[in-house]
Amino acid sequence: MIVIAGTVKIDPPKRESAKTVMKTMMDATMQEDGCITYQFLFNPWDDSEVYIFEEWESAEALSAHFQTPHMATFREALPNFVTSSFDIKRYEVSEVSNM
């Protein structure tokens, strides 16, 4: 399993429009083969901070995700509300268990 996790800063006055774009991206991505979880989570105490969390069945599924039309549309929209570079990490997970 591949886990993607990180943060990005957005322009607070553009938070609602960012939510709309991110929700569209989430909905489309969750339909992709190999996508387990795809979430943008907005920090309730910092209007500029968004957490990113993704789970993918395989590296191949993640690679295919980057080639989708909705990813291209999303990348085009990012400069409209993102104010910094993404701080994102990729984790390769060999074992998962419930707590």
Side-chain angles (χ1 to χ4, degrees):
M1 175 194 303
I2 306 296
V3 173
I4 307 296
T7 59
V8 65
K9 294 287 188 175
I10 62 169
D11 185 5
K14 297 180 179 178
R15 184 176 164 117
E16 291 307 312
S17 62
K19 281 180 164 180
T20 300
V21 170
M22 291 176 172
K23 173 82 165 87
T24 299
M25 180 64 174
M26 286 171 46
D27 290 346
T29 301
M30 287 300 298
Q31 301 304 311
E32 292 180 43
D33 290 337
C35 180
I36 301 167
T37 302
Y38 195 91
Q39 296 287 314
F40 295 104
L41 306 161
F42 289 78
N43 184 334
W45 297 279
D46 181 349
D47 286 347
S48 70
E49 189 170 53
V50 180
Y51 298 97
I52 298 143
F53 185 77
E54 307 172 27
E55 293 175 303
W56 295 89
E57 290 178 359
S58 66
E60 294 79 19
L62 178 59
S63 182
H65 166 65
F66 289 120
Q67 305 306 314
T68 60
H70 54 271
M71 176 56 95
T73 301
F74 182 69
R75 284 184 174 151
E76 287 176 20
L78 289 176
N80 295 321
F81 54 85
V82 170
T83 61
S84 70
S85 60
F86 285 72
D87 179 18
I88 299 177
K89 306 228 179 346
R90 173 185 165 146
Y91 303 88
E92 295 192 27
V93 179
S94 61
E95 185 177 326
V96 176
S97 61
N98 291 328
M99 293 185 68

